[in-house]
C-alpha cells in the first residue's frame, strides 16, 4: 500500500504541475485553479496518512506517540482541504444561481478560501484541544498467545489510544458528517447548472459517496479488525486511497483530456 500511496502522490504532483502550467487557459481558470491546488495538497496529506498508518512500530526506536498523533492530523486536515475546496466551489455556484441579486456579482476565490480556511481552522483547534487534554499515545498490547509445540508465540500490537478515543473521534466524524450532508444538499440544489467549468456538483456527489463508503464500511471494519494489524491497515489504506484517488481523477482527468 505504501508503494501505491507514493505512486498516487506522484500523480497528485503531476496534476499540480498541470493545474499550475495551464491556469491561464479559460476552462482551467474558471474552475478556480488555486482552490484546485488546495484540494491537491489535501489529497497528498491523505496519501501521507496512509504511509503513517503503515509504519512498523517495531522499526521505530522512538517517536511512537508522534507518529500516532500525526496520522490523525494528516487525515483530518487532508479531508478538510480536499473536500472543503470542492464544498466552497459548490457553495459559490449555489449562491450565484439561487440568488438573483447576486447574479451580477462575482464571488471571488478569496471568499472561497475563507470558507476552506475556516474549516481547516476548526480542525486545528479541535485537534489541538484533543492533543492537549487527552493526547493520543501508542499503547503496546498483547493480543493473542499461541502454543506451537514447545514454543509460545506472543503477538503484540500497538494501538493509538487516548482515555476517550471514541468520544473524540465521534465528535470529529459527526462534524465532518454534517459538512458532507450540507455539501450533498448544495450539490443537489445545483444539479441542473450546466456550466461544466463552474459546476462541481457531480464531483461533490461522488465525494460524498466515497466518504460514505469510507465511514460506513471502512471505519467499523477497521475497529473490528483492530487486533489484526495487517487486515486493519489494508482496510484503512484501501478506503483512503480509493476515495482520494477517485475524487482527484474526477476533477482533473476531464481537464487534462479537454486540452488534448
Amino acid at each position: 500500500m505504501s508503494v501505491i500511496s507514493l505512486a498516487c502522490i506522484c500523480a497528485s504532483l503531476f496534476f499540480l504541475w498541470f493545474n499550475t502550467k495551464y491556469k491561464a487557459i479559460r476552462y482551467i481558470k474558471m474552475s478556480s485553479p488555486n482552490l484546485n491546488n488546495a484540494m491537491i495538497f489535501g489529497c497528498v496529506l491523505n496519501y501521507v496518512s496512509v504511509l503513517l498508518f503503515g509504519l512498523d512500530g517495531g522499526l521505530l526506536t522512538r517517536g511512537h506517540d508522534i507518529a500516532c498523533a500525526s496520522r490523525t492530523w494528516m487525515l483530518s486536515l487532508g479531508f478538510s482541504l480536499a473536500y472543503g475546496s470542492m464544498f466552497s466551489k459548490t457553495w459559490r455556484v449555489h449562491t450565484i444561481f439561487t440568488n438573483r441579486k447576486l447574479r451580477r456579482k462575482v464571488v471571488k476565490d478569496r471568499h472561497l478560501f475563507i470558507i476552506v480556511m475556516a474549516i481547516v481552522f476548526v480542525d486545528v483547534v479541535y485537534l489541538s484541544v484533543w492533543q492537549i487534554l487527552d493526547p493520543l499515545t501508542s499503547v503496546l498490547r498483547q493480543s493473542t498467545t499461541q502454543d506451537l509445540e514447545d514454543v509460545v508465540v506472543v503477538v503484540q500490537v500497538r494501538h493509538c489510544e487516548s482515555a476517550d478515543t471514541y468520544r473524540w473521534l465521534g465528535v470529529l466524524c459527526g462534524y465532518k458528517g454534517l459538512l458532507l450532508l450540507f455539501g450533498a444538499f448544495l450539490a443537489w440544489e445545483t444539479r441542473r447548472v450546466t456550466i461544466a467549468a463552474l459546476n462541481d456538483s457531480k464531483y461533490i456527489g461522488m465525494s460524498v459517496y466515497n466518504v460514505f463508503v469510507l465511514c460506513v464500511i471502512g471505519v467499523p471494519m477497521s475497529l473490528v479488525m483492530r487486533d489484526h494489524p495487517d487486515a486493519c491497515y489494508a482496510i484503512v489504506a484501501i478506503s483512503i486511497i480509493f476515495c482520494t484517488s477517485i475524487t482527484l481523477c474526477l476533477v482533473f482527468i476531464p481537464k487534462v483530456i479537454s486540452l488534448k
Side-chain angles (χ1 to χ4, degrees):
M1 292 299 174
S2 296
V3 175
I4 296 176
S5 296
L6 290 173
C8 291
I9 291 174
C10 292
S12 300
L13 295 178
F14 165 75
F15 288 135
L16 178 63
W17 168 83
F18 171 85
N19 196 58
T20 303
K21 180 177 177 62
Y22 297 104
K23 65 180 180 180
I25 295 178
R26 178 176 173 80
Y27 183 77
I28 305 298
K29 187 176 182 179
M30 290 183 67
S31 67
S32 302
N34 292 328
L35 279 170
N36 289 339
N37 288 340
M39 190 191 75
I40 293 172
F41 184 63
C43 291
V44 170
L45 291 182
N46 288 340
Y47 292 132
V48 171
S49 73
V50 174
L51 298 177
L52 293 175
F53 275 109
L55 283 178
D56 188 348
L59 299 178
L60 295 177
T61 57
R62 61 179 64 183
H64 293 286
D65 293 344
I66 295 176
C68 187
S70 296
R71 64 192 194 184
T72 302
W73 278 77
M74 290 291 179
L75 184 57
S76 182
L77 294 177
F79 170 87
S80 294
L81 280 171
Y83 181 78
S85 298
M86 298 185 69
F87 170 84
S88 63
K89 289 200 290 183
T90 304
W91 171 82
R92 173 168 61 184
V93 175
H94 181 270
T95 300
I96 293 174
F97 286 90
T98 59
N99 191 331
R100 294 182 179 180
K101 295 181 180 180
L102 291 177
R103 289 189 179 183
R104 295 183 179 180
K105 294 184 179 181
V106 177
V107 181
K108 297 184 178 180
D109 284 358
R110 67 170 179 267
H111 301 135
L112 306 186
F113 268 111
I114 292 175
I115 296 176
V116 177
M117 290 301 103
I119 296 173
V120 172
F121 178 75
V122 171
D123 266 9
V124 171
V125 171
Y126 184 80
L127 292 173
S128 298
V129 172
W130 183 0
Q131 191 63 28
I132 293 172
L133 299 181
D134 189 17
L136 283 167
T137 56
S138 180
V139 180
L140 187 63
R141 295 186 181 277
Q142 178 179 312
S143 59
T144 59
T145 302
Q146 300 174 343
D147 292 325
L148 300 177
E149 297 180 353
D150 295 330
V151 179
V152 177
V153 179
V154 179
V155 179
Q156 294 180 325
V157 180
R158 283 193 175 274
H159 296 290
C160 282
E161 297 179 355
S162 61
D164 291 312
T165 306
Y166 296 113
R167 186 174 300 174
W168 289 102
L169 282 176
V171 174
L172 185 64
C173 292
Y175 149 68
K176 293 185 182 296
L178 291 176
L179 191 63
L180 283 169
L181 289 176
F182 189 39
F185 167 75
L186 295 180
W188 176 259
E189 287 284 296
T190 58
R191 67 191 183 280
R192 295 182 180 178
V193 177
T194 57
I195 302 178
L198 287 177
N199 186 18
D200 284 313
S201 296
K202 57 184 177 181
Y203 306 136
I204 286 284
M206 184 59 71
S207 297
V208 171
Y209 172 75
N210 288 333
V211 177
F212 176 81
V213 172
L214 172 64
C215 294
V216 175
I217 299 178
V219 174
M221 288 185 66
S222 65
L223 293 176
V224 171
M225 303 296 291
R226 67 195 306 265
D227 290 330
H228 304 275
D230 292 337
C232 182
Y233 172 65
I235 293 169
V236 172
I238 290 173
S239 299
I240 295 173
I241 292 173
F242 175 80
C243 295
T244 304
S245 299
I246 289 294
T247 301
L248 199 62
C249 291
L250 281 172
V251 173
F252 289 100
I253 287 182
K255 293 177 174 57
V256 174
I257 294 175
S258 68
L259 294 182
K260 283 188 175 181

